Every structure is written in structure tokens, then in C-alpha cells.
């Protein structure tokens, strides 16, 4: 793992915090080329009312636009959460050079379904700042569960 991995994952965490602050699932993504950020994004599924508006997809679109290319062979993607199957598929088609992610997604992460979904030339580095990335996700969902039990106390009562 490189020192720059920590720097760029911190930038992705800042994006995830933006999502958290607006009520979106807190996932952030950063795309770099030659250690320069060319795209940043965070989840905007609720805001855009678009199930495909994941941080990774938005970052890929932005990076492709900035670079004027549908291929991102020399780019690295830093994502706070292991990309889902859909995002990994988009990474395949853009031939992303490297994927670095923070927290594992044991339910919907691409490695749970198919390790070969990424392009054969894409390298993967997992668990960079995993604790910090996981904390955002777990705090977000704990808050949602708390709101649900406050709105409907019967769901929070385990005495039954």
C-alpha cells in the first residue's frame, strides 16, 4: 500500500461525508491519474431519484468527460465501500487501471459474487482505511434504525 492511497482515500471519505450530510448512503469515490484527482463524487441516488447514481458511476462519468475518453486504463478509483456488481461492471467497461476500496460490502460487494467481474488488467487493493470507511456506513444505518424505532416504537421493542 502506498502513502498516496491514504491521501486519496481521505479525499473519498470527504465525499462520503457529503453524502452522509445529505441523507444519502455515505459512499464517496475519487478518480486519479498520475496522482492527480480528475473526478470526485458521492452517492446521489435519493437526490437524483436514480438508482444508478452511485458514487463510483458518477466519478467514472466525470473522469471520462474530463479526460475525453471512455477508457480509464491509467486511472485509479478510490471508493470508501467495495463497489457493487453494477459499479464493477462499469469499471470493467472503462478498463479502470486500479481499484482501491475501504470497507468490504459483505452483502453486495463485487467480490461476494464474482471476482472476475473487473477487467483482467485491473488491480485491486482492499481495506485501505477500512475502519474509517466502515464507521461512516455503520453510523449512517444505525441512525436510520433509530429513526425507524422512534417513528414506530413497536419495531424497537424486543420485549414481545
Amino acid at each position: 500500500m502506498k502513502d498516496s492511497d491514504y491521501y486519496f482515500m481521505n479525499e473519498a471519505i470527504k465525499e462520503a461525508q457529503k453524502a452522509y450530510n445529505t441523507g444519502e448512503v455515505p459512499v464517496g469515490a475519487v478518480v486519479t491519474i498520475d496522482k492527480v484527482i480528475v473526478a470526485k463524487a458521492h452517492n446521489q441516488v435519493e437526490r437524483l431519484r436514480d438508482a444508478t447514481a452511485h458514487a463510483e458511476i458518477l466519478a467514472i462519468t466525470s473522469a471520462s468527460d474530463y479526460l475525453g475518453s471512455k477508457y480509464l486504463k491509467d486511472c485509479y478509483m478510490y471508493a470508501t465501500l467495495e463497489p457493487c456488481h453494477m459499479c464493477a461492471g462499469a469499471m470493467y467497461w472503462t478498463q479502470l487501471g486500479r481499484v482501491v476500496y475501504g470497507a468490504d460490502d459483505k452483502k453486495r460487494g463485487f467480490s461476494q459474487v464474482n471476482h472476475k467481474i473487473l477487467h483482467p488488467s485491473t488491480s485491486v487493493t482492499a481495506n485501505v482505511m477500512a475502519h474509517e470507511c466502515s464507521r461512516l456506513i455503520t453510523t449512517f444505518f444505525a441512525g436510520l434504525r433509530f429513526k425507524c424505532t422512534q417513528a414506530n416504537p413497536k419495531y424497537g421493542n424486543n420485549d414481545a
Side-chain angles (χ1 to χ4, degrees), residues 117-131:
I117 193 168
L118 294 174
H119 194 273
S121 64
T122 301
S123 66
V124 177
T125 303
N127 303 117
V128 174
M129 299 180 68
H131 177 73

Side-chain angles (χ1 to χ4, degrees), residues 83-94:
C84 71
H85 213 191
M86 174 185 70
C87 293
M91 291 171 187
Y92 175 91
W93 290 110
T94 61

Side-chain angles (χ1 to χ4, degrees), residues 66-130:
Y66 178 83
L67 296 170
S69 176
K70 64 182 179 180
Y71 297 114
L72 303 176
K73 294 177 182 185
D74 297 323
C75 293
Y76 292 0
M77 163 82 70
Y78 293 85
T80 57
L81 184 64
E82 178 183 358
C84 71
H85 213 191
M86 174 185 70
C87 293
M91 291 171 187
Y92 175 91
W93 290 110
T94 61
Q95 300 178 21
L96 203 65
R98 182 172 178 236
V99 176
V100 180
Y101 67 86
D104 288 326
D105 186 345
K106 302 247 185 264
K107 291 183 180 178
R108 293 182 180 85
F110 75 89
S111 67
Q112 304 302 314
V113 180
N114 181 353
H115 288 280
K116 296 180 181 182
I117 193 168
L118 294 174
H119 194 273
S121 64
T122 301
S123 66
V124 177
T125 303
N127 303 117
V128 174
M129 299 180 68

Side-chain angles (χ1 to χ4, degrees), residues 45-60:
V45 171
E46 301 302 326
R47 179 176 170 261
L48 298 176
R49 295 184 191 113
D50 179 357
T52 67
H54 290 197
E56 301 92 331
I57 299 291
L58 296 173
I60 285 170

